[in-house]
């Protein structure tokens, strides 16, 4: 092959786009030595994702990594020499390429390796070969591998730690090793159950070093119980967040009350792009003040969260003299009622939406127990910037009794849960005058009447329709017959030949329709005659639902589900 004049930097950038396509990368590395030297570091950047996919991969990778242990790190050789593979010459220093470190995945893979390779004698079986013994050996072997990664100067940018009751404490990290291997850490994901941190001395020591020596984090995920008697967790996470200079993404799952100190830290995070609360109880109402200076916030996601109920009666009483429309419509863009004021922490004055600088592009609310006015205000704050709105099991019918186009005219992606029979009649007014690209309906009840009539008022701009609800095939026939828009993709949870024949007819008159996302898996050898017709006579592909969601909004899906 002729020598390439293409700059190596460009070749490297091209191959990075294939980092999840290991098959193609393995083929490319055989082309020449330059490509091989370029691709090998990419393949070995995040080996733990391969461990999660396949037991075979997991055992092979652990075997290769064990080859790099020095004699000091082979602590168990005297008792179990079979744990260590026979030395083989390797062409690359694979541990040095590590960029993403998942300790719990490594421990699980080592545990599998130990179970697979350890030699059991009859005398050991009763006394040693049990879960505790396997865990003990696996923990020591994990410690050795961790030291080996540090010794080989692995530069980690993603660190994932899960400290649960059945997982061991994090390996001991020498102080001088932190700056070497974690100095450029960008993504930190930490999960811990209700146990206090003093039960995990190595983990606590590492977190303390992280708060003192790392200011480069851009993505932080904290999954932790904050108990009243465990101030260490609050202090540690407070210091970790406080010490960062440029946080882009914060996800907090507090499994209950969230400390006020953590919330207060969010107020001045002007670099934040995504903020995600999960399973969080807010003491009083949702703290709008945390959004005050989030100038760059684009994604706000709130899932399974609560406003504490002891405040609800008071607020409801304050609203008792208001007209019914006040609690059933989105508020005007000029005022927020005194019953639900937004109060700045530095001032007793009320905050209007105009005082809050964030420009939320995506608002994702799911299964929350909030006052209707809270959700109304969140939508109001987003205003003309809002393009994606998901109201999933969030009392949608109370909030959206007027057209969204008045308040959020630029919405292109809308998902609603039909949680009231009366709300069925309101869908037309809600989506009227919106240039929707993606529209999703979710319901646990039968929606025949709605689906039958839906085709008459779907916006002409619509390209993707999600029907996560129950309806008869006749309703689908009426929808597709009356539909004026040219759909590219359709998502359904109802699926059989009766539905499929109408989908085939629609595909034959709409060349743009090419994606059908269904709930469940269809085997390649499915004998359905209509399925064969769909494959042979149309351009429609049956795909996973997420593929349609990603195609409709790659930025939202990518930022939400990827790191």
């Amino acid at each position: 092959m002729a020598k390439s004049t293409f700059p190596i930097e460009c070749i490297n950038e091209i191959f990075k786009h294939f980092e999840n396509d290991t098959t193609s990368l393995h083929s490319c590395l055989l082309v020449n030595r330059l490509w091989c030297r370029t691709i090998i570091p990419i393949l070995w950047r995040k080996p733990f994702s391969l461990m999660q996919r396949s037991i075979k991969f997991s055992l092979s990778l652990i075997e290769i990594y064990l080859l790099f242990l020095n004699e000091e790190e082979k602590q168990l050789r005297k008792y179990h020499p079979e744990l260590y593979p026979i030395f083989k010459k390797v062409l690359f220093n694979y541990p040095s390429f590590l960029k993403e470190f998942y300790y719990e995945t490594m421990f699980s893979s080592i545990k599998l390796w130990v179970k697979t390779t350890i030699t059991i004698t009859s005398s050991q079986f009763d006394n040693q070969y049990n879960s505790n013994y396997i865990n003990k050996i696996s923990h020591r072997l994990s410690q050795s591998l961790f030291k080996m990664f540090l010794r080989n100067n692995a530069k980690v940018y993603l660190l994932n730690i899960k400290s649960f009751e059945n997982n061991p404490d994090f390996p001991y990290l020498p102080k001088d090793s932190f700056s070497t291997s974690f100095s450029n850490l960008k993504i930190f994901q930490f999960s811990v159950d209700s146990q206090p941190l003093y039960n995990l001395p190595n983990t606590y020591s590492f977190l303390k070093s992280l708060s003192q020596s790392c200011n480069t984090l851009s993505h932080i995920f904290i999954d932790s119980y904050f108990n009243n008697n465990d101030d260490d967790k609050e202090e540690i996470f407070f210091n970790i967040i406080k010490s960062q200079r440029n946080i882009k993404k914060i996800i907090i799952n507090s499994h209950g009350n969230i400390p006020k100190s953590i919330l207060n830290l969010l107020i001045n995070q002007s670099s934040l792009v995504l903020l995600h609360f999960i399973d969080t109880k807010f003491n009083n109402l949702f703290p709008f003040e945390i959004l005050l200076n989030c100038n760059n916030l684009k994604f706000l996601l709130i899932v399974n969260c609560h406003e504490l109920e002891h405040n609800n009666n008071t607020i409801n009483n304050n609203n008792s003299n208001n007209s019914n429309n006040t609690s059933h419509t989105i508020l005007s863009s000029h005022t927020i009622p005194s019953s639900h004021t937004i109060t700045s922490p530095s001032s007793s004055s009320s905050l209007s939406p105009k005082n809050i600088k964030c420009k939320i592009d995506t608002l994702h609310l799911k299964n929350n127990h909030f006052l209707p006015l809270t959700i109304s205000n969140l939508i109001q704050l987003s205003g003309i910037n809002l393009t994606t709105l998901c109201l999933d099991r969030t009392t949608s019918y109370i909030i959206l009794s007027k057209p969204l186009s008045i308040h959020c005219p630029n919405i292109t992606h809308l998902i609603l849960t039909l949680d009231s029979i009366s709300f069925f009649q309101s869908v037309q007014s809600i989506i009227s005058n919106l240039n929707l690209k993606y529209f999703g309906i979710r319901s646990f009840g039968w929606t025949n009447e709605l689906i039958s009539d839906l085709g008459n008022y779907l916006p002409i701009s619509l390209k993707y329709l999600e029907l996560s609800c129950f309806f008869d095939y006749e309703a689908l026939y009426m929808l597709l017959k009356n539909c004026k828009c040219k759909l590219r993709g359709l998502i359904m949870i109802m699926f059989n030949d009766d539905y499929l024949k109408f989908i085939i007819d629609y595909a034959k008159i709409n060349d743009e329709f090419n994606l059908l996302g269904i709930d469940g898996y269809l085997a390649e050898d499915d004998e359905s005659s209509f399925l064969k017709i769909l494959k042979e006579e149309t351009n429609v592909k049956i795909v996973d639902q997420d593929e349609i969601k990603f195609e409709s909004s790659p930025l939202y899906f990518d930022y939400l589900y990827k790191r």
Side-chain angles (χ1 to χ4, degrees):
M1 182 177 176
K3 185 176 180 181
S4 172
T5 57
F6 213 48
I8 184 62
E9 294 82 5
C10 294
I11 294 175
N12 189 44
E13 287 302 314
I14 291 171
F15 285 139
K16 281 182 181 179
H17 287 280
F18 292 88
E19 64 178 349
N20 295 320
D21 186 357
T22 55
T23 302
S24 296
L25 287 178
H26 276 108
S27 299
C28 290
L29 68 82
L30 300 175
V31 171
N32 58 36
R33 290 183 179 179
L34 176 62
W35 282 29
C36 181
R37 289 196 299 269
T38 305
I39 290 172
I40 286 295
I42 297 174
L43 282 171
W44 287 83
R45 287 172 64 190
K46 45 183 185 180
F48 297 106
S49 60
L50 295 177
M51 291 181 179
Q52 293 171 335
R53 293 180 197 171
S54 163
I55 292 177
K56 182 180 178 181
F57 267 122
S58 178
L59 293 175
S60 297
L61 289 169
I62 291 297
E63 180 179 11
I64 292 173
Y65 279 138
L66 288 172
L67 292 172
F68 287 86
L69 295 180
N70 60 28
E71 292 304 312
E72 180 184 350
E73 291 159 349
K74 296 178 181 178
Q75 302 174 0
L76 300 170
R77 169 171 278 181
K78 179 179 178 181
Y79 307 100
H80 292 288
E82 68 277 9
L83 286 173
Y84 303 98
I86 299 173
F87 177 76
K88 302 174 186 177
K89 187 176 181 180
V90 290
L91 298 177
F92 296 92
N93 182 3
Y94 299 113
S96 67
F97 301 138
L98 183 70
K99 300 297 181 186
E100 298 184 4
F101 185 68
Y102 288 78
Y103 179 64
E104 187 265 342
T105 304
M106 185 185 77
F107 177 77
S108 299
S109 300
I110 289 175
K111 193 173 178 179
L112 180 61
W113 171 267
V114 171
K115 288 181 177 179
T116 305
T117 60
I118 197 169
T119 301
I120 307 301
T121 66
S122 57
S123 60
Q124 289 175 319
F125 189 87
D126 293 334
N127 298 322
Q128 293 181 325
Y129 191 60
N130 54 50
S131 178
N132 290 334
Y133 184 64
I134 292 295
N135 280 341
K136 183 177 179 180
I137 291 179
S138 302
H139 188 204
R140 293 185 66 180
L141 204 55
S142 297
Q143 291 269 7
S144 296
L145 276 185
F146 185 68
K147 291 179 181 178
M148 180 273 296
F149 284 122
L150 298 179
R151 179 169 50 79
N152 283 278
N153 295 318
K155 305 294 186 183
V156 178
Y157 73 76
L158 182 152
L159 178 63
N160 180 289
I161 304 174
K162 294 182 179 179
S163 297
F164 298 141
E165 187 174 349
N166 294 326
N167 293 342
D169 193 9
F170 195 67
Y172 172 72
L173 178 70
K175 291 184 178 180
D176 58 347
S177 298
F178 188 95
S179 58
T180 304
S181 293
F182 299 101
S183 59
N184 198 37
L185 193 64
K186 298 294 184 184
I187 303 170
F188 178 59
Q189 302 166 343
F190 181 76
S191 301
V192 62
D193 54 18
S194 56
Q195 63 179 314
L197 283 179
Y198 57 72
N199 287 347
L200 305 162
N202 291 345
T203 301
Y204 178 77
S205 176
F206 176 84
L207 293 175
K208 194 170 183 179
S209 296
L210 184 68
S211 66
Q212 295 171 347
S213 306
C214 177
N215 59 10
T216 58
L217 295 179
S218 61
H219 291 46
I220 299 176
F221 171 61
I222 298 173
D223 179 7
S224 172
Y225 292 79
F226 289 96
N227 301 322
N228 293 331
N229 58 349
D230 189 7
D231 294 334
D232 287 342
K233 285 182 184 177
E234 180 178 346
E235 181 182 359
I236 282 289
F237 294 132
F238 175 88
N239 289 330
I240 289 174
I241 296 173
K242 184 179 180 181
S243 60
Q244 306 313 312
R245 296 178 301 183
N246 192 33
I247 303 177
K248 299 286 188 185
K249 181 176 181 179
I250 293 182
I251 302 175
I252 299 177
N253 184 350
S254 64
H255 300 275
N257 295 329
I258 184 171
K260 291 182 179 179
S261 61
I262 302 294
L263 285 175
N264 288 336
L265 270 183
L266 301 179
I267 294 175
N268 294 313
Q269 297 297 330
S270 59
S271 60
L272 260 185
V273 175
L274 182 145
L275 179 59
H276 190 174
F277 292 108
I278 306 170
D279 197 13
T280 296
K281 290 182 179 179
F282 299 105
N283 187 19
N284 205 317
L285 304 176
F286 178 80
F288 281 89
E289 63 270 17
I290 65 175
L291 306 176
L292 187 61
N293 296 311
C294 294
N295 302 3
N296 294 298
L297 189 67
K298 302 295 183 187
F299 302 90
L300 179 60
L301 302 96
I302 307 174
V303 178
N304 296 330
C305 293
H306 298 252
E307 292 177 320
L308 291 189
E309 295 180 357
H310 69 266
N311 291 297
N312 290 3
N313 291 334
T314 302
I315 293 171
N316 286 334
N317 289 336
N318 289 338
N319 285 330
S320 61
N321 294 325
N322 293 340
S323 66
N324 292 334
N325 289 336
T326 303
S327 60
H328 287 264
T329 62
I330 300 178
L331 305 180
S332 76
S333 59
H334 300 292
T335 60
I336 293 179
S338 59
S339 59
H340 196 193
T341 54
I342 303 173
T343 305
S344 168
S346 60
S347 170
S348 60
S349 61
S350 298
L351 294 177
S352 77
K354 293 183 289 185
N355 297 129
I356 296 180
K357 300 175 183 178
C358 62
K359 298 178 180 179
I360 298 171
D361 172 270
T362 296
L363 182 60
H364 185 103
L365 305 174
K366 181 176 181 180
N367 201 30
N368 297 303
H369 298 275
F370 283 178
L371 293 177
L373 285 178
T374 298
I375 302 171
S376 297
N377 285 334
L378 286 170
I379 296 173
Q380 176 187 330
L381 288 174
S382 307
I384 61 172
N385 300 294
L386 194 65
T387 64
T388 300
L389 175 62
C390 176
L391 293 174
D392 193 351
R393 285 172 280 171
T394 308
T395 55
S396 314
Y397 67 98
I398 295 179
I399 305 151
L400 298 173
S401 60
K402 284 191 175 181
L404 268 172
S405 58
I406 295 176
H407 311 281
C408 307
N410 296 317
I411 287 181
T412 58
H413 291 65
L414 177 64
I415 299 173
L416 302 176
T417 294
L418 304 183
D419 41 17
S420 166
I421 295 176
S422 62
F423 185 48
F424 291 1
Q425 315 302 324
S426 306
V427 172
Q428 181 177 359
S429 64
I430 290 170
I431 67 175
S432 63
N433 299 317
L434 286 176
N435 293 317
L436 293 180
K437 181 180 179 183
Y438 184 106
F439 181 46
I441 294 177
R442 298 174 182 176
S443 176
F444 296 107
W446 284 90
T447 57
N448 281 330
E449 183 179 349
L450 170 68
I451 299 301
S452 296
D453 196 40
L454 187 62
N456 292 315
Y457 49 87
L458 287 177
I460 196 70
S461 59
L462 194 70
K463 295 299 179 184
Y464 305 93
L465 179 62
E466 175 189 343
L467 301 176
S468 296
C469 48
F470 300 96
F471 50 88
D472 294 329
Y473 57 86
E474 293 95 341
L476 178 65
Y477 166 73
M478 293 301 298
L479 185 155
L480 297 177
K481 177 185 176 182
N482 298 323
C483 184
K484 304 298 188 300
C485 56
K486 286 198 169 186
L487 295 176
R488 291 179 191 164
L490 175 64
I491 293 175
M492 294 174 55
I493 60 173
M494 303 287 290
F495 190 85
N496 60 32
D497 279 356
D498 292 326
Y499 297 87
L500 194 55
K501 61 184 179 182
F502 297 127
I503 293 173
I504 292 171
D505 291 340
Y506 179 73
K508 288 181 177 179
I509 62 173
N510 178 10
D511 293 337
E512 292 187 26
F513 183 62
N514 57 18
L515 294 175
L516 176 61
I518 61 172
D519 184 29
Y521 173 75
L522 282 180
E524 290 293 328
D525 58 350
D526 194 297
E527 295 300 322
S528 164
S529 59
F530 285 104
L531 188 59
K532 290 180 180 178
I533 294 173
L534 183 74
K535 293 178 179 178
E536 295 171 0
E537 299 185 14
T538 73
N539 296 320
V540 177
K541 292 191 304 180
I542 296 179
V543 298
D544 185 83
Q545 294 185 13
D546 285 346
E547 186 171 333
I548 296 178
K549 295 173 184 176
F550 177 76
E551 181 175 300
S552 71
S553 183
L555 178 62
Y556 167 59
F557 194 91
D558 204 45
Y559 217 101
L560 181 59
Y561 294 106
K562 286 191 173 183
R563 294 176 297 273

